[in-house]
Amino acid sequence: MTRTPDAPPLVVHIIYALGTGGLENGLVNIINRSPPGRYRHAIICLTVAEAFAGRLTAEGVEVVELHKQPGHDLGMYVRLWRTLRRLCPAIVHTRNLAALETQVLGLLLTGCKRVHGEHGRDVSDLDGSNRKYQWLRRLLSPLIHRYIAVSQDLAQWLVETVRIPPNKVTQIYNGVDHARFLPRFAEANNSGAALPARTPPPGMPAGFLPQAGCRVVGTVGRLAAVKDQQTLIRALAHIFTESPQQRQTLRCILVGDGPERAALAASIADHGVEDCVWLAGDWDDIPALLAGMDVFVLPSLGEGISNTVLEAMATGLPVVATRVGGNPELVEDGVTGLLVPVGDAQALAQAMLVLVEDSVRCERMGRAAVARIQTDFDWESTVAGYLRVYDEVL
């Protein structure tokens, strides 16, 4: 197939899977918000596209599933090559290590440009020190015309550790939908008026929220080992051991689903906090759940730039996050939230307790978080950055 001369250039995005996650959320937002007629888009999933693909609203976006088998699936490369040859992309844009090696096929496409995005390090290489993965990225780097890193941390790592030439690396932050994630406090509350009473969302266990004095901490994300919700459970149990009175009013919500759900449910039972923790599962109305929280917690072992932190800050929540990856670029310690060491349940418990016991400090940090997000993070700027990279490589 040849490209139609008068058609906008086609960008083919190659990802491992189109499921719930920050990388996928960013990709869908970029495609949905791109000006019609500027570029066409298609998505190739090395494995499968889940229900998240339903969030694509842009017209004419083809989604292809290659159903890659575990390990080295040579048949997947044959299917990928046939798909690329049929689509004839102007740009192939891969994301993260799992898709990087597919850029080799781009060499066989006449005139095709190659872009690679780093959205977070591999789960088995959270600090980026794996020499095999470094070598693979370095070996393939001559094939890539431009790299996009979602955080300054990742951009610096690409240049200093992987040794990608600085002029090939562009850093672009993810954005936030300001029309969807609104501050949970109205300006009328500057007078000190009380916030509206919490409205329990559908599905919340009856009686989960106490009638008065309730404080809610929560997190949103895939229930996976790298997100380390286990440390959040241990931190909550530590709070109840050190401050037993908190059991009467402190509640925790875990939003999301994934392979760690059963292990988390067992841990909740083992620590005896079943009455204080709600495993909410996946939700479409994340803004409503965030608006019902007082403190957002991100205990991850590693992060690129967390969309959920951005959304929590846009909602006006102080954030307690681990000091990893791009988290310190978002959470200013003591100003918009608190940073803690990775895997330290006691430090996480202390930070959570500091905030749940001080509603004035929570609101002050929440307002600072909103100001930061409204100033520095919006999808329009993000999309413009990506389109500028596409323009330049072509």
Side-chain angles (χ1 to χ4, degrees):
M1 178 183 289
T2 58
R3 300 184 188 119
T4 305
D6 56 348
L10 174 65
V11 182
V12 169
H13 306 269
I14 302 180
I15 60 176
Y16 185 75
L18 187 55
T20 303
L23 182 159
E24 296 82 0
N25 180 66
L27 172 58
V28 167
N29 268 287
I30 289 165
I31 291 176
N32 286 345
R33 295 168 183 272
S34 291
R38 180 85 173 270
Y39 285 94
R40 294 175 295 136
H41 298 271
I43 300 174
I44 298 178
C45 306
L46 300 184
T47 54
V48 296
E50 301 173 10
F52 196 81
R55 298 193 181 188
L56 285 164
T57 58
E59 293 184 1
V61 180
E62 182 177 354
V63 179
V64 180
E65 299 174 297
L66 298 181
H67 300 286
K68 179 183 181 299
Q69 299 301 307
H72 297 288
D73 182 1
L74 296 180
M76 183 276 293
Y77 285 92
V78 174
R79 297 189 293 276
L80 176 58
W81 166 241
R82 289 173 178 168
T83 303
L84 290 174
R85 188 172 58 179
R86 172 176 64 83
L87 294 174
C88 285
I91 297 173
V92 170
H93 185 162
T94 53
R95 286 167 168 81
N96 279 354
L97 185 63
L100 175 59
E101 60 190 42
T102 65
Q103 288 281 14
V104 173
L105 296 179
L107 288 172
L108 305 177
L109 298 170
T110 303
C112 181
K113 302 298 182 179
R114 295 172 291 279
V115 176
H116 180 70
E118 289 289 350
H119 293 250
R121 301 186 184 93
D122 191 81
V123 67
S124 61
D125 182 32
L126 292 173
D127 63 354
S129 63
N130 185 299
R131 292 189 179 277
K132 175 184 175 181
Y133 294 159
Q134 290 180 21
W135 176 84
L136 177 61
R137 286 183 168 95
R138 202 170 298 148
L139 178 68
L140 295 176
S141 64
L143 307 182
I144 310 300
H145 296 96
R146 186 69 64 85
Y147 290 82
I148 298 176
V150 299
S151 68
Q152 296 175 20
D153 171 69
L154 285 170
Q156 183 179 7
W157 170 73
L158 282 172
V159 172
E160 297 182 358
T161 302
V162 185
R163 300 178 191 170
I164 305 300
N167 64 341
K168 291 177 68 172
V169 178
T170 300
Q171 191 267 313
I172 304 174
Y173 283 124
N174 291 336
V176 179
D177 186 345
H178 295 292
R180 186 168 180 239
F181 295 92
L182 299 171
R184 69 190 189 98
F185 39 74
E187 287 308 311
N189 287 320
N190 282 334
S191 63
L195 291 170
R198 299 178 193 275
T199 302
M204 177 177 282
F208 179 73
L209 296 179
Q211 293 296 314
C214 179
R215 303 289 282 169
V216 178
V217 300
T219 190
V220 178
R222 184 167 170 77
L223 303 185
V226 69
K227 297 301 182 181
D228 197 23
Q229 291 96 344
Q230 291 282 5
T231 294
L232 175 53
I233 300 304
R234 292 196 300 271
L236 191 68
H238 182 79
I239 289 175
F240 293 157
T241 298
E242 297 297 317
S243 304
Q245 72 279 7
Q246 288 292 337
R247 181 179 284 273
Q248 305 303 315
T249 55
L250 181 58
R251 297 293 180 265
C252 179
I253 301 175
L254 305 185
V255 184
D257 210 340
E260 287 292 300
R261 184 183 178 95
L264 285 165
S267 181
I268 290 167
D270 290 343
H271 287 92
V273 294
E274 302 100 315
D275 57 332
C276 300
V277 180
W278 178 34
L279 277 171
D282 279 332
W283 277 72
D284 289 329
D285 194 0
I286 298 300
L289 289 179
L290 289 176
M293 297 178 187
D294 297 289
V295 178
F296 186 84
V297 183
L298 188 76
S300 298
L301 302 177
E303 284 290 341
I305 284 293
S306 169
N307 285 323
T308 56
V309 164
L310 292 173
E311 291 163 358
M313 291 174 68
T315 306
L317 295 177
V319 176
V320 178
T322 45
R323 194 185 295 273
V324 295
N327 287 349
E329 298 173 37
L330 304 182
V331 182
E332 186 177 354
D333 194 26
V335 178
T336 59
L338 299 172
L339 295 171
V340 299
V342 170
D344 190 333
Q346 186 171 346
L348 182 60
Q350 182 178 358
M352 289 162 53
L353 196 56
V354 163
L355 293 180
V356 298
E357 291 185 331
D358 190 343
S359 60
V360 173
R361 187 176 188 183
C362 276
E363 180 162 340
R364 184 171 65 247
M365 285 184 167
R367 290 185 180 277
V370 169
R372 171 81 197 284
I373 294 299
Q374 292 180 342
T375 301
D376 297 332
F377 298 91
D378 64 83
W379 279 116
E380 287 69 26
S381 298
T382 300
V383 170
Y386 276 82
L387 296 182
R388 188 161 50 248
V389 168
Y390 297 157
D391 291 344
E392 290 172 356
V393 298
L394 290 180

